[in-house]
mmCIF file of all heavy atoms in Angstrom:
data_model
loop_
_atom_site.group_PDB
_atom_site.id
_atom_site.type_symbol
_atom_site.label_atom_id
_atom_site.label_comp_id
_atom_site.label_asym_id
_atom_site.label_seq_id
_atom_site.Cartn_x
_atom_site.Cartn_y
_atom_site.Cartn_z
ATOM 1 N N GLN A 221 46.799 207.700 124.983
ATOM 2 C CA GLN A 221 46.331 206.619 124.122
ATOM 3 C C GLN A 221 44.828 206.454 124.213
ATOM 4 O O GLN A 221 44.133 206.313 123.200
ATOM 5 C CB GLN A 221 47.027 205.306 124.483
ATOM 6 C CG GLN A 221 48.451 205.212 123.993
ATOM 7 C CD GLN A 221 48.954 203.783 123.984
ATOM 8 O OE1 GLN A 221 48.327 202.905 124.556
ATOM 9 N NE2 GLN A 221 50.088 203.556 123.342
ATOM 10 N N GLN A 222 44.293 206.478 125.433
ATOM 11 C CA GLN A 222 42.865 206.252 125.579
ATOM 12 C C GLN A 222 42.056 207.386 124.961
ATOM 13 O O GLN A 222 40.992 207.159 124.385
ATOM 14 C CB GLN A 222 42.511 206.083 127.057
ATOM 15 C CG GLN A 222 43.091 204.838 127.697
ATOM 16 C CD GLN A 222 42.709 203.578 126.936
ATOM 17 O OE1 GLN A 222 41.571 203.435 126.499
ATOM 18 N NE2 GLN A 222 43.676 202.690 126.765
ATOM 19 N N SER A 223 42.562 208.618 125.075
ATOM 20 C CA SER A 223 41.852 209.729 124.451
ATOM 21 C C SER A 223 41.894 209.641 122.938
ATOM 22 O O SER A 223 41.049 210.198 122.245
ATOM 23 C CB SER A 223 42.473 211.067 124.906
ATOM 24 O OG SER A 223 43.794 211.187 124.416
ATOM 25 N N SER A 224 42.898 208.928 122.420
ATOM 26 C CA SER A 224 43.008 208.759 120.974
ATOM 27 C C SER A 224 42.241 207.562 120.469
ATOM 28 O O SER A 224 42.118 207.358 119.262
ATOM 29 C CB SER A 224 44.482 208.598 120.565
ATOM 30 O OG SER A 224 45.222 209.721 120.940
ATOM 31 N N ALA A 225 41.763 206.738 121.401
ATOM 32 C CA ALA A 225 41.016 205.569 120.963
ATOM 33 C C ALA A 225 39.737 206.003 120.273
ATOM 34 O O ALA A 225 39.058 206.934 120.707
ATOM 35 C CB ALA A 225 40.685 204.685 122.158
ATOM 36 N N ALA A 226 39.434 205.343 119.206
ATOM 37 C CA ALA A 226 38.229 205.700 118.441
ATOM 38 C C ALA A 226 37.661 204.451 117.822
ATOM 39 O O ALA A 226 38.348 203.459 117.650
ATOM 40 C CB ALA A 226 38.572 206.718 117.349
ATOM 41 N N ASN A 227 36.410 204.527 117.492
ATOM 42 C CA ASN A 227 35.807 203.393 116.787
ATOM 43 C C ASN A 227 36.393 203.322 115.395
ATOM 44 O O ASN A 227 36.397 204.323 114.666
ATOM 45 C CB ASN A 227 34.291 203.568 116.701
ATOM 46 C CG ASN A 227 33.641 203.446 118.060
ATOM 47 O OD1 ASN A 227 34.085 202.655 118.893
ATOM 48 N ND2 ASN A 227 32.611 204.258 118.300
ATOM 49 N N PRO A 228 36.888 202.173 115.000
ATOM 50 C CA PRO A 228 37.491 202.073 113.664
ATOM 51 C C PRO A 228 36.481 202.425 112.581
ATOM 52 O O PRO A 228 35.290 202.202 112.726
ATOM 53 C CB PRO A 228 37.910 200.603 113.581
ATOM 54 C CG PRO A 228 37.992 200.151 115.001
ATOM 55 C CD PRO A 228 36.958 200.924 115.742
ATOM 56 N N SER A 229 36.995 202.958 111.522
ATOM 57 C CA SER A 229 36.141 203.289 110.378
ATOM 58 C C SER A 229 35.910 202.020 109.575
ATOM 59 O O SER A 229 36.791 201.551 108.868
ATOM 60 C CB SER A 229 36.836 204.354 109.523
ATOM 61 O OG SER A 229 36.084 204.648 108.378
ATOM 62 N N HIS A 230 34.745 201.462 109.661
ATOM 63 C CA HIS A 230 34.474 200.155 109.069
ATOM 64 C C HIS A 230 34.693 200.092 107.561
ATOM 65 O O HIS A 230 35.125 199.054 107.049
ATOM 66 C CB HIS A 230 33.062 199.713 109.428
ATOM 67 C CG HIS A 230 32.897 199.387 110.879
ATOM 68 N ND1 HIS A 230 33.454 198.275 111.435
ATOM 69 C CD2 HIS A 230 32.261 200.057 111.883
ATOM 70 C CE1 HIS A 230 33.175 198.244 112.728
ATOM 71 N NE2 HIS A 230 32.444 199.320 113.037
ATOM 72 N N PRO A 231 34.401 201.130 106.790
ATOM 73 C CA PRO A 231 34.652 201.038 105.344
ATOM 74 C C PRO A 231 36.113 200.758 104.985
ATOM 75 O O PRO A 231 36.395 200.317 103.875
ATOM 76 C CB PRO A 231 34.209 202.419 104.835
ATOM 77 C CG PRO A 231 33.197 202.873 105.815
ATOM 78 C CD PRO A 231 33.701 202.375 107.136
ATOM 79 N N LEU A 232 37.052 201.030 105.916
ATOM 80 C CA LEU A 232 38.461 200.782 105.620
ATOM 81 C C LEU A 232 38.933 199.403 106.071
ATOM 82 O O LEU A 232 40.044 199.007 105.752
ATOM 83 C CB LEU A 232 39.329 201.850 106.285
ATOM 84 C CG LEU A 232 39.167 203.280 105.763
ATOM 85 C CD1 LEU A 232 40.067 204.224 106.535
ATOM 86 C CD2 LEU A 232 39.490 203.353 104.278
ATOM 87 N N HIS A 233 38.094 198.689 106.822
ATOM 88 C CA HIS A 233 38.513 197.384 107.320
ATOM 89 C C HIS A 233 38.780 196.396 106.183
ATOM 90 O O HIS A 233 39.842 195.762 106.122
ATOM 91 C CB HIS A 233 37.418 196.814 108.233
ATOM 92 C CG HIS A 233 37.549 197.254 109.646
ATOM 93 N ND1 HIS A 233 36.818 196.711 110.678
ATOM 94 C CD2 HIS A 233 38.346 198.205 110.223
ATOM 95 C CE1 HIS A 233 37.146 197.289 111.813
ATOM 96 N NE2 HIS A 233 38.062 198.209 111.553
ATOM 97 N N ARG A 234 37.812 196.253 105.315
ATOM 98 C CA ARG A 234 37.913 195.215 104.285
ATOM 99 C C ARG A 234 39.084 195.437 103.329
ATOM 100 O O ARG A 234 39.854 194.511 103.069
ATOM 101 C CB ARG A 234 36.596 195.096 103.528
ATOM 102 C CG ARG A 234 35.449 194.552 104.384
ATOM 103 C CD ARG A 234 34.183 194.385 103.567
ATOM 104 N NE ARG A 234 33.731 195.651 103.005
ATOM 105 C CZ ARG A 234 32.714 195.774 102.140
ATOM 106 N NH1 ARG A 234 32.050 194.706 101.746
ATOM 107 N NH2 ARG A 234 32.369 196.958 101.683
ATOM 108 N N PRO A 235 39.241 196.652 102.759
ATOM 109 C CA PRO A 235 40.417 196.832 101.888
ATOM 110 C C PRO A 235 41.744 196.673 102.622
ATOM 111 O O PRO A 235 42.724 196.215 102.033
ATOM 112 C CB PRO A 235 40.248 198.248 101.335
ATOM 113 C CG PRO A 235 39.275 198.914 102.221
ATOM 114 C CD PRO A 235 38.380 197.848 102.769
ATOM 115 N N ALA A 236 41.770 197.048 103.920
ATOM 116 C CA ALA A 236 43.017 196.869 104.683
ATOM 117 C C ALA A 236 43.376 195.400 104.802
ATOM 118 O O ALA A 236 44.519 194.994 104.539
ATOM 119 C CB ALA A 236 42.859 197.507 106.062
ATOM 120 N N LEU A 237 42.404 194.584 105.200
ATOM 121 C CA LEU A 237 42.686 193.163 105.397
ATOM 122 C C LEU A 237 42.921 192.449 104.070
ATOM 123 O O LEU A 237 43.784 191.566 103.986
ATOM 124 C CB LEU A 237 41.542 192.515 106.169
ATOM 125 C CG LEU A 237 41.329 193.041 107.598
ATOM 126 C CD1 LEU A 237 40.178 192.304 108.271
ATOM 127 C CD2 LEU A 237 42.599 192.919 108.426
ATOM 128 N N LEU A 238 42.165 192.814 103.033
ATOM 129 C CA LEU A 238 42.391 192.186 101.728
ATOM 130 C C LEU A 238 43.779 192.542 101.195
ATOM 131 O O LEU A 238 44.494 191.680 100.668
ATOM 132 C CB LEU A 238 41.321 192.634 100.736
ATOM 133 C CG LEU A 238 41.475 192.086 99.303
ATOM 134 C CD1 LEU A 238 41.485 190.565 99.294
ATOM 135 C CD2 LEU A 238 40.365 192.631 98.391
ATOM 136 N N GLY A 239 44.176 193.807 101.336
ATOM 137 C CA GLY A 239 45.510 194.203 100.882
ATOM 138 C C GLY A 239 46.602 193.479 101.636
ATOM 139 O O GLY A 239 47.591 193.028 101.049
ATOM 140 N N ALA A 240 46.439 193.359 102.972
ATOM 141 C CA ALA A 240 47.445 192.651 103.771
ATOM 142 C C ALA A 240 47.526 191.187 103.365
ATOM 143 O O ALA A 240 48.621 190.618 103.234
ATOM 144 C CB ALA A 240 47.107 192.779 105.249
ATOM 145 N N PHE A 241 46.369 190.565 103.142
ATOM 146 C CA PHE A 241 46.349 189.143 102.795
ATOM 147 C C PHE A 241 46.955 188.897 101.412
ATOM 148 O O PHE A 241 47.815 188.027 101.252
ATOM 149 C CB PHE A 241 44.915 188.621 102.827
ATOM 150 C CG PHE A 241 44.772 187.201 102.349
ATOM 151 C CD1 PHE A 241 45.062 186.145 103.186
ATOM 152 C CD2 PHE A 241 44.373 186.930 101.041
ATOM 153 C CE1 PHE A 241 44.952 184.831 102.747
ATOM 154 C CE2 PHE A 241 44.264 185.629 100.597
ATOM 155 C CZ PHE A 241 44.547 184.581 101.451
ATOM 156 N N ILE A 242 46.520 189.642 100.413
ATOM 157 C CA ILE A 242 46.957 189.356 99.044
ATOM 158 C C ILE A 242 48.441 189.682 98.867
ATOM 159 O O ILE A 242 49.149 188.997 98.123
ATOM 160 C CB ILE A 242 46.098 190.121 98.011
ATOM 161 C CG1 ILE A 242 46.298 189.524 96.616
ATOM 162 C CG2 ILE A 242 46.413 191.604 98.012
ATOM 163 C CD1 ILE A 242 45.826 188.104 96.469
ATOM 164 N N CYS A 243 48.949 190.699 99.585
ATOM 165 C CA CYS A 243 50.377 191.004 99.477
ATOM 166 C C CYS A 243 51.212 189.916 100.165
ATOM 167 O O CYS A 243 52.258 189.504 99.651
ATOM 168 C CB CYS A 243 50.675 192.371 100.077
ATOM 169 S SG CYS A 243 50.127 193.742 99.030
ATOM 170 N N GLY A 244 50.752 189.429 101.331
ATOM 171 C CA GLY A 244 51.462 188.335 101.982
ATOM 172 C C GLY A 244 51.466 187.081 101.129
ATOM 173 O O GLY A 244 52.494 186.424 100.959
ATOM 174 N N LEU A 245 50.304 186.753 100.548
ATOM 175 C CA LEU A 245 50.209 185.557 99.718
ATOM 176 C C LEU A 245 51.076 185.673 98.474
ATOM 177 O O LEU A 245 51.826 184.748 98.129
ATOM 178 C CB LEU A 245 48.750 185.327 99.324
ATOM 179 C CG LEU A 245 48.451 184.088 98.460
ATOM 180 C CD1 LEU A 245 47.093 183.487 98.827
ATOM 181 C CD2 LEU A 245 48.452 184.419 96.966
ATOM 182 N N SER A 246 50.996 186.816 97.801
ATOM 183 C CA SER A 246 51.711 186.944 96.525
ATOM 184 C C SER A 246 53.217 186.982 96.718
ATOM 185 O O SER A 246 53.959 186.291 96.006
ATOM 186 C CB SER A 246 51.236 188.200 95.784
ATOM 187 O OG SER A 246 51.485 189.363 96.551
ATOM 188 N N ILE A 247 53.714 187.746 97.687
ATOM 189 C CA ILE A 247 55.159 187.877 97.844
ATOM 190 C C ILE A 247 55.788 186.555 98.272
ATOM 191 O O ILE A 247 56.841 186.145 97.757
ATOM 192 C CB ILE A 247 55.491 188.997 98.836
ATOM 193 C CG1 ILE A 247 55.140 190.350 98.228
ATOM 194 C CG2 ILE A 247 56.960 188.970 99.208
ATOM 195 C CD1 ILE A 247 55.887 190.675 96.946
ATOM 196 N N LEU A 248 55.148 185.836 99.196
ATOM 197 C CA LEU A 248 55.733 184.561 99.632
ATOM 198 C C LEU A 248 55.631 183.491 98.556
ATOM 199 O O LEU A 248 56.544 182.672 98.379
ATOM 200 C CB LEU A 248 55.076 184.104 100.922
ATOM 201 C CG LEU A 248 55.801 184.480 102.229
ATOM 202 C CD1 LEU A 248 57.107 183.731 102.354
ATOM 203 C CD2 LEU A 248 56.049 185.983 102.330
ATOM 204 N N SER A 249 54.517 183.438 97.829
ATOM 205 C CA SER A 249 54.414 182.459 96.744
ATOM 206 C C SER A 249 55.367 182.819 95.612
ATOM 207 O O SER A 249 55.995 181.933 95.006
ATOM 208 C CB SER A 249 52.974 182.376 96.224
ATOM 209 O OG SER A 249 52.520 183.643 95.772
#
Side-chain angles (χ1 to χ4, degrees):
Q221 284 198 347
Q222 294 305 319
S223 66
S224 300
N227 292 325
S229 177
H230 291 289
L232 294 179
H233 273 191
R234 293 183 300 173
L237 296 181
L238 178 58
F241 174 80
I242 196 64
C243 286
L245 181 145
S246 60
I247 291 300
L248 265 292
S249 58

